[in-house]
């Protein structure tokens, strides 16, 4: 019983047995998910595998306590243990990122961004205007109401990266609250190189004068110069907010240092905790002391009661990320992305920006294989490779079918994949996509959704992927 994996096996068996007695379908789904995670080549750039300690920290009675408020100032009695959990998580977050202030309550990345937006607004703007919200539900607000609300708030302006260029929904997209509550403009990337064009952003920011300049992305395969972004924000009189949801693990692991580390340059930094940072599903806000009180208004302004069990998971994952081994991991994530990109390039594929220097590779499947993202995503899934389709800049196939596939290395690197393994992954991807052809429509043109894969290729690729996965077991020793 001294082997931790063996102990965890026994613990999980006991838990699953209890669940089985109540709702067997859920016990089955839990086991099936572990099986699926183990047997798929997971290249989804936003996913990872949390450690057993982080997972077990979540499955506890810390979930059963209400603790609205902040550490030491709760609206409920008896919050001493949640105080401990939240303080420890915040202490690790501050130390790990060198941040003046850390707020670990947000339940997700979107929540973290809402907390951050509200913090910045309330720092600068009087808020009686929000009373107009009390009159109706938010769903009843028409464009004129939104315009009035924005006007009363001082018609605050937000500038972020466009979805199309790799930005996130929460950076001002029109179907997200960020696009409704702000007068919003987005910046793209250079049409020729696919790279961020700082001069163009500077020019746009000076013309538009946003209150908030957002930097950060979900699908951009390059690093950002945050010193330059801060310079632009200062010149335009904006607050620099960086959403490092995707690359927090590379910041934590000291791969992004100097001007590539957002924390010394942004007044407010938001992140998820479950992507490259490899923790439980959740969010976090880091801020300079100037914004600490504003960020603390997250609950109850935007968030309900904090999730004590999730904050425990965050504390454990953040403690893990402070170990030297996490720096080795983060460097390997970047090295593996480079190896994957090189492996694709040398087999003739086209990549957005021509390569990568973070954890993301954006494969142009239209240019490389004459497929839509939807077809490539499907063909890869049939071949045991899990990815997601993604728009590429100026995407000819639109946001639904897309022309790209986003690939990321945080998950496979957690399993111990090396640069050589990533070259083999590139080979399998190219093998599967070369054998895929779009199904012709009744008009005789290539369709956007359906495809066929050459005889036996999907099965052969799947078998090869499974063999590769067999060399790097997920949760070794955990026998479920
Ligand atoms: C994933 C992501 C989010 C949202 O995170 P959720 O936890 O899914 O809400 C926000 N911003 C960026 C840049 C992201 O990549």
């Amino acid at each position: 019983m001294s082997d931790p994996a063996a102990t965890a096996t026994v613990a999980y068996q006991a838990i699953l047995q209890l669940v089985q007695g109540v709702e067997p379908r859920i016990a089955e789904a839990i086991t099936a998910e572990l099986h699926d995670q183990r047997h798929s080549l997971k290249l989804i750039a936003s996913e990872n595998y949390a450690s057993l300690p982080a997972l077990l920290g979540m499955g506890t009675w810390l979930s059963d306590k209400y603790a609205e408020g902040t550490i030491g100032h709760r609206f409920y009695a008896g919050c001493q243990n949640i105080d401990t959990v939240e303080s420890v998580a915040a202490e690790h977050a501050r130390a790990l990122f060198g941040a003046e202030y850390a707020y670990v309550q947000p339940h997700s990345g979107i929540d973290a961004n809402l907390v951050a937006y509200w913090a910045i607004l309330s720092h600068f703007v009087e808020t009686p205007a929000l009373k107009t919200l009390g009159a109706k539900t938010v769903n009843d607000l028409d464009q004129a109401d939104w315009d009035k609300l924005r006007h009363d708030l001082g018609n605050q302006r937000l500038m972020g990266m466009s979805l199309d260029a790799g930005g996130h929904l929460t950076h001002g997209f029109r179907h997200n609250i960020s696009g409704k509550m702000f007068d919003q403009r987005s910046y793209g990337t250079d049409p020729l190189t696919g790279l961020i064009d700082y001069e163009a952003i500077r020019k746009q920011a000076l013309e538009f004068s946003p209150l908030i300049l957002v930097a950060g992305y979900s699908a951009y395969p390059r690093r950002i110069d945050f010193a330059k972004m801060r310079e632009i924000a200062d010149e335009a009189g904006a607050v620099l907010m960086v959403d490092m949801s995707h690359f927090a693990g590379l910041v934590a692991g000291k791969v992004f240092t100097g001007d590539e580390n957002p924390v010394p340059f942004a007044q407010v930094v938001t992140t998820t905790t479950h992507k490259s940072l490899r923790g439980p599903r959740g969010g976090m806000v880091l801020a300079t002391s100037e914004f600490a009180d504003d960020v603390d208004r997250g609950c109850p302004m935007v968030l309900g009661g904090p999730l004590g069990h999730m904050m425990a998971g965050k504390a454990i994952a953040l403690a893990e990320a402070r170990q030297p081994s996490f720096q080795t991991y983060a460097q390997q994530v970047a090295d593996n992305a480079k190896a994957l990109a090189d492996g694709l390039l040398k087999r003739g594929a086209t990549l957005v920006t021509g390569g990568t220097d973070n954890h993301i590779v954006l494969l142009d499947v239209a240019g490389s294989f004459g497929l839509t993202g939807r077809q490539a995503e499907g063909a890869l899934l049939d071949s045991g490779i899990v990815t997601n389709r993604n728009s590429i800049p100026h995407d000819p196939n639109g946001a639904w079918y897309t022309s790209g596939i986003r690939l990321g290395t945080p998950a496979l690197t957690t399993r111990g994949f090396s640069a050589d393994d990533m070259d083999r992954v590139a080979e399998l991807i190219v093998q599967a996509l070369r054998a895929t052809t779009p199904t012709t429509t009744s008009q005789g043109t290539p369709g956007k959704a359906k495809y066929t894969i050459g005889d036996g290729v999907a099965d052969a690729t799947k078998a090869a992927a499974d063999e590769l996965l067999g060399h790097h077991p997920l949760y070794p020793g955990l026998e479920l």
Side-chain angles (χ1 to χ4, degrees):
M1 283 294 278
S2 58
D3 173 13
T7 312
T9 303
V10 175
Y12 272 111
Q13 281 166 343
I15 292 163
L16 286 166
Q17 213 175 344
L18 289 173
V19 176
Q20 178 90 25
V22 182
E23 179 42 284
R25 289 173 296 180
I26 297 301
E28 243 166 69
I30 294 170
T31 316
E33 182 60 28
L34 177 61
H35 177 273
D36 290 356
Q37 296 270 353
R38 280 178 160 161
H39 294 279
S40 57
L41 204 61
K42 178 151 98 169
L43 286 159
I44 294 190
S46 49
E47 292 186 6
N48 210 328
Y49 308 102
S51 71
L52 290 179
L55 290 172
L56 287 162
M58 286 186 260
T60 62
W61 31 89
L62 291 164
S63 167
D64 293 335
K65 187 78 197 100
Y66 245 112
E68 280 171 321
T70 52
I71 301 163
H73 303 273
R74 307 285 184 183
F75 291 91
Y76 289 80
C79 296
Q80 55 283 352
N81 300 313
I82 305 293
D83 279 347
T84 302
V85 167
E86 187 171 347
S87 313
V88 172
E91 170 198 312
H92 283 310
R94 285 193 308 269
L96 178 62
F97 292 108
E100 288 174 9
Y101 191 71
Y103 185 66
V104 298
Q105 290 191 19
H107 310 163
S108 73
I110 282 199
D111 290 359
N113 284 348
L114 279 177
V115 169
Y117 288 146
W118 190 256
I120 298 168
L121 277 171
S122 60
H123 192 78
F124 292 107
V125 181
E126 293 293 315
T127 57
L130 267 202
K131 287 195 187 122
T132 55
L133 277 175
K136 299 177 183 180
T137 79
V138 177
N139 290 330
D140 291 334
L141 294 182
D142 58 20
Q143 195 56 50
D145 291 326
W146 281 109
D147 289 347
K148 171 161 183 349
L149 182 62
R150 286 215 310 258
H151 176 266
D152 291 352
L153 283 167
N155 202 23
Q156 296 303 335
R157 288 175 292 268
L158 175 87
M159 196 172 133
M161 197 179 202
S162 73
L163 201 60
D164 193 43
H168 191 257
L169 289 166
T170 51
H171 300 175
F173 186 58
R174 64 186 184 284
H175 293 310
N176 181 266
I177 184 77
S178 58
K180 300 272 189 207
M181 66 191 264
F182 291 103
D183 179 8
Q184 172 279 344
R185 295 283 186 286
S186 43
Y187 57 87
T189 45
D190 182 274
L192 285 181
T193 60
L195 297 172
I196 284 180
D197 178 348
Y198 295 95
E199 267 320 294
I201 295 174
R202 184 178 157 278
K203 198 161 162 276
Q204 198 180 352
L206 287 177
E207 276 168 21
F208 183 54
S209 293
L211 170 70
I212 307 174
L213 177 65
V214 185
Y217 52 77
S218 300
Y220 178 70
R222 297 291 175 176
R223 303 182 183 190
I224 295 179
D225 183 338
F226 295 108
K228 220 174 248 178
M229 289 304 278
R230 175 61 190 261
E231 223 176 83
I232 295 168
D234 283 348
E235 251 186 282
V239 174
L240 178 63
M241 172 176 149
V242 173
D243 178 353
M244 64 171 182
S245 286
H246 248 266
F247 53 87
L250 298 183
V251 179
K254 314 263 183 290
V255 176
F256 292 0
T257 56
D259 294 351
E260 294 165 358
N261 174 5
V263 180
F265 298 103
Q267 287 98 327
V268 180
V269 176
T270 59
T271 185
T272 59
T273 47
H274 50 274
K275 297 182 181 175
S276 56
L277 195 51
R278 206 165 69 182
R281 188 156 288 277
M284 217 161 60
V285 181
L286 309 176
T288 57
S289 317
E290 188 195 348
F291 286 88
D293 289 346
D294 306 296
V295 169
D296 269 349
R297 295 198 187 128
C299 167
M301 184 57 86
V302 174
L303 305 170
L307 311 178
H309 59 308
M310 301 309 289
M311 294 195 294
K314 288 174 195 174
I316 295 164
L318 289 163
E320 288 169 345
R322 290 183 68 190
Q323 301 294 318
S325 59
F326 194 84
Q327 296 185 20
T328 313
Y329 163 70
Q331 187 56 54
Q332 194 62 47
V333 166
D335 292 349
N336 281 352
K338 183 98 182 54
L340 177 62
D342 289 348
L344 291 166
L345 287 169
K346 82 176 183 211
R347 292 175 177 89
T350 308
L351 305 180
V352 174
T353 78
T356 177
D357 50 30
N358 57 19
H359 62 296
I360 293 173
V361 175
L362 206 51
L363 173 59
D364 174 354
V365 289
S368 309
F369 306 101
L371 299 169
T372 63
R374 177 107 189 259
Q375 288 162 334
E377 178 190 87
L380 289 173
L381 189 63
D382 296 341
S383 310
I385 303 173
V386 188
T387 64
N388 64 279
R389 65 182 185 278
N390 212 102
S391 304
I392 62 173
H394 315 285
D395 200 309
N397 287 317
W400 177 251
Y401 293 109
T402 82
S403 302
I405 285 288
R406 186 184 65 165
L407 307 167
T409 51
L412 291 183
T413 306
T414 295
R415 290 183 73 140
F417 273 57
S418 66
D420 285 345
D421 295 325
M422 294 317 294
D423 184 64
R424 175 82 173 126
V425 170
E427 188 182 2
L428 296 180
I429 291 172
V430 171
Q431 168 180 308
L433 294 182
R434 275 214 187 115
T436 304
T437 31
T439 305
T440 322
T441 64
S442 48
Q443 286 87 36
T445 53
K448 290 193 169 188
K450 297 197 176 131
Y451 56 87
T452 50
I453 311 179
D455 267 356
V457 175
D459 286 345
T461 310
K462 203 171 198 164
D466 225 18
E467 198 210 320
L468 197 52
L469 289 167
H471 298 157
H472 304 291
L474 178 62
Y475 304 122
L478 182 70
E479 284 170 30
L480 291 173

